[in-house]
Amino acid sequence: MEDIEHFAKAMKLIDADGRRLDGRKFNELRPIRIEAGVLRRADGSAYMEWGGNKVLAAVYGPREAHPRHLQDPARALVQCRYNMAPFSVTDRKRPGPDRRSVEISKVISEAFSSVVFAEQFPRTSVDIFIEVLQADAGTRCAGLTAASVALADAGVPMRDLVASCASGKIDGVVCLDLNKDEDNFGDADCPTAVVPRTGEIVLLQMDGHLTSDEFEKAMDLSIDAARRIYDLQRDALRRRYSVTLEDILKESPPVPSPMQPEGRLPSEDDFGPEGI
Ligand code: UDP
């Protein structure tokens, strides 16, 4: 234990040029890729890669809520299950829910409950499934961001998408989007989720300690990053739903002209007694 503490103190997370272990500056995000509509059976889905994180989100509903005693006659339930695959982390993760995944599922459900127009769908549930296939810190932010695209892909009416990002403190410097080493050996991590159009905060957590100045800096970084992530979310949905002339032609190729091989038009003799 002492060895680890000594190692953590000796480990430099930011070099003399202000670069982090993976070469990023304090306000840089890891590379992000989002694809919408990747699963056929779900009503809506999305896949996201965010640095070393790989996350799938699937959405079902609004559909009749089960068991029935959970139904709310005034609104839809927004339920989320966040799950980490056993192979998603270095040490095999024991399958099934644990305290951490129950907590993350709860805060993500609450974040979406405040943006979905739940009162339009009484007695139903909107079910969100987040599967973490590979984890490298920031999986709740990646899961929430992907789930938001999956909800839009499912056509669930919402006030806006939700975009999420964390900021924290490493080597005494406030930085955006911590990776696993920074999360392990850093001083604080503060995941945030934002409704970009209104600037409303729908998720805010903190692990570690920040002064109020540091907290404000972290929030500024996260909110600015959420706007960039929002653009990527909308791009993914545009790619999914924009239709080009090429796509239309692929779906229904033009009907071949009725010309015969020799270049003559078909005559009545070319068809049987019942016509074509
Ligand atoms: N992690 C792990 N095993 C676990 C839970 C977490 O190795 O059982 C790792 C994983 O890489 C995760 C990181 O620790 O992304 C940070 O976890 P945290 O609880 O801070 O949540 P996250 O940052 O992923 O939202």
Side-chain angles (χ1 to χ4, degrees), residues 49-62:
E49 288 182 3
W50 184 333
N53 294 310
K54 295 185 178 183
V55 178
L56 255 179
V59 166
Y60 294 85

Side-chain angles (χ1 to χ4, degrees), residues 4 16 18 20 32 40 51-52 58 84 95 97 126 152 155 157 160 193 195 220 222 252:
I4 295 175
R20 294 151 70 176
I32 293 178
R40 190 178 291 179
M84 263 185 150
V126 174
D160 195 6
V195 180
D220 286 347
S222 295
S252 51

Side-chain angles (χ1 to χ4, degrees), residues 203-276:
L203 178 144
L204 181 59
Q205 297 186 284
M206 175 126 76
D207 183 11
H209 298 282
L210 294 174
T211 64
S212 58
D213 276 357
E214 288 167 344
F215 175 71
E216 270 180 36
K217 265 188 211 154
M219 288 304 287
D220 286 347
L221 284 178
S222 295
I223 291 170
D224 177 61
R227 297 223 166 85
R228 284 180 268 156
I229 292 164
Y230 184 53
D231 289 340
L232 298 175
Q233 290 175 304
R234 290 193 302 173
D235 272 355
L237 288 163
R238 256 186 233 120
R239 265 184 278 119
R240 163 98 166 109
Y241 288 103
S242 61
V243 181
T244 63
L245 181 59
E246 227 169 70
D247 298 328
I248 296 170
L249 291 177
K250 241 187 264 163
E251 287 280 306
S252 51
V255 182
S257 105
M259 293 295 280
Q260 296 298 293
E262 308 87 46
R264 69 180 172 83
L265 284 169
S267 70
E268 272 183 21
D269 302 339
D270 292 324
F271 306 113
E274 284 92 33
I276 296 172

Side-chain angles (χ1 to χ4, degrees), residues 33-136:
R33 182 166 85 91
I34 311 175
E35 294 293 330
V38 291
L39 302 173
R40 190 178 291 179
R41 310 255 182 272
D43 294 326
S45 60
Y47 170 70
M48 173 158 207
E49 288 182 3
W50 184 333
N53 294 310
K54 295 185 178 183
V55 178
L56 255 179
V59 166
Y60 294 85
R63 59 184 180 181
E64 192 182 355
H66 283 291
R68 282 186 150 208
H69 68 85
L70 287 182
Q71 290 182 358
D72 184 334
R75 52 188 289 126
L77 303 169
V78 180
Q79 310 188 101
C80 174
R81 194 197 71 169
Y82 164 101
N83 182 53
M84 263 185 150
F87 51 80
S88 63
V89 286
T90 324
D91 298 324
R92 175 182 177 276
K93 150 121 187 12
R94 193 158 179 264
D98 53 17
R99 273 172 57 146
R100 177 178 169 277
S101 66
V102 169
E103 170 221 311
I104 295 178
S105 302
K106 180 175 186 290
V107 291
I108 294 180
S109 307
E110 287 169 0
F112 284 121
S113 296
S114 62
V115 288
V116 168
F117 289 123
E119 58 290 350
Q120 291 181 4
F121 305 98
R123 298 188 188 284
T124 67
S125 71
V126 174
D127 300 314
I128 303 165
F129 296 89
I130 295 170
E131 294 291 326
V132 178
L133 308 176
Q134 188 173 289
D136 190 43

